[in-house]
Amino acid sequence: MDSERARRWYESRTFHHSEFPAERLAAERTRSVSACVPARNEERTIGPIVADLVSLREAGAIDEVMVIDAGSHDSTPEIAADAGASVHVESELLPEQGEVLGKGDAMWRALSVLDSDVIVFLDADSEGFGPHFATGLIGPLVCGDTGVEFVKAFYRRPLKVGEVSLPEGGGRVTELMARPLLNLFYPELAGFRQPLAGELAATRDLLLRLPFATGYAVEIAMLIDAWREVGLDALAQVDIEMRQNRHQPLAELTPMAYAVLRAVCTRLEREGRLNELEESELLLPRETLEERGVPLTERPPLASIRTA
């Protein structure tokens, strides 16, 4: 039954970015839209990304372009500001919450200064970025009466090693960890082509009601939590064709995979499907048996803090 639901969802909630050109968004949308780009030391790519998003703002497809800078040591914030984005330093947002704990925490804090009806989050390290990254994700939320509240991107991910680029092979943690976990424990979500995609859009109302995992766990945790909150039919995915970014060495993927595993196990524990989960360090056999901390910290729904 779960697999049949996943098939029906896949057929009805999978879109292509070409269905949502900027002109359509500008003409049809009745909701305000903000584009938010968390960034750290991305001076090589942030300029073209912001320029494309500013072009959408000028075309009336979106209302705001914001960069959340994670204390970059290069010219990322200056380049973003010069290209037309408003720039906030993540540590200055909700400072009473203490140290910023990675990308998911930065996204959570960004909600304190993003007040549009719809928010699209985009990664800052994408090569070959185009306006369709944003318009494709926004489209199902603002065009037509679809009932969609949460959208993730999917794409082909070439594997780039040095100057050599293979047509496939990126997304190794997705294929070897995230996808098997979803199939086994959350088969309704098995139709998501890129469950760990950092490119997503959602209504602000939904985002305010979700906890935000920090570190590598944020994407899969948010997918499961959004499904639990609004149901499968309120979720969608959009093909943005191809995304090229930096790839981690194979040995560095273990902490990423471990964070994904712990995020899923934590949710299974909450659902009563797993016995109590113990806190533990990740042990990596290198020259010695190295301990690597992969903490699973979650920020509570922002709405719960603002109303406390």
Side-chain angles (χ1 to χ4, degrees), residues 51-67:
D52 279 340
L53 294 174
V54 167
S55 73
L56 293 178
R57 186 180 65 195
E58 294 174 348
I62 65 175
D63 301 290
E64 181 180 31
V65 181
M66 184 178 295
V67 168

Side-chain angles (χ1 to χ4, degrees), residues 6 8 16 38 51 96 113 116 121 168 202 223 238 256 271 292:
R8 290 199 303 268
H16 190 271
E96 68 277 10
V113 288
S116 292
F121 288 105
E168 301 288 346
L223 175 60
V238 174
M256 297 174 65
E271 296 162 12
R292 181 80 64 88

Side-chain angles (χ1 to χ4, degrees), residues 55-114:
S55 73
L56 293 178
R57 186 180 65 195
E58 294 174 348
I62 65 175
D63 301 290
E64 181 180 31
V65 181
M66 184 178 295
V67 168
I68 306 297
D69 184 67
S72 294
H73 301 302
D74 65 8
S75 300
T76 295
E78 292 80 10
I79 293 172
D82 289 345
S86 61
V87 179
H88 293 265
V89 178
E90 63 179 17
S91 60
E92 296 176 0
L93 303 176
L94 302 177
E96 68 277 10
Q97 298 300 318
E99 179 185 0
V100 183
L101 303 174
K103 177 187 172 185
D105 198 2
M107 294 166 65
W108 179 75
R109 292 170 190 250
L111 296 177
S112 67
V113 288
L114 291 164

Side-chain angles (χ1 to χ4, degrees), residues 15-22 25 56 120 131-141 151-153 201 237-240:
F15 303 93
H16 190 271
H17 71 82
S18 61
E19 300 176 57
F20 306 107
L25 268 62
L56 293 178
V120 55
H132 66 283
F133 277 41
T135 57
L137 287 164
I138 298 164
L141 292 157
V151 184
K152 284 188 80 75
Q237 63 181 348
V238 174
D239 183 358
I240 60 173

Side-chain angles (χ1 to χ4, degrees), residues 147-194:
V148 170
E149 294 192 52
F150 182 88
V151 184
K152 284 188 80 75
F154 71 91
Y155 33 71
R156 181 174 60 83
R157 288 195 67 189
L159 178 62
K160 191 173 184 180
V161 182
E163 297 302 316
V164 178
S165 182
L166 305 176
E168 301 288 346
R172 291 162 289 174
V173 176
T174 292
E175 298 300 333
L176 299 175
M177 180 58 75
R179 200 177 307 289
L181 282 171
L182 291 178
N183 271 271
L184 185 59
F185 296 113
Y186 298 99
E188 299 92 338
L189 301 175
F192 276 89
R193 298 276 293 274
Q194 293 285 354

Side-chain angles (χ1 to χ4, degrees), residues 19 39 57 101 104 107 128 138 145 153 158 162 174 184 205 213 221 232 241 246 281-282 285 304:
E19 300 176 57
R57 186 180 65 195
L101 303 174
M107 294 166 65
I138 298 164
D145 186 18
T174 292
L184 185 59
D205 179 69
L232 188 61
E241 294 190 4
R246 293 188 303 271
E281 298 292 314
L282 175 63
S304 70

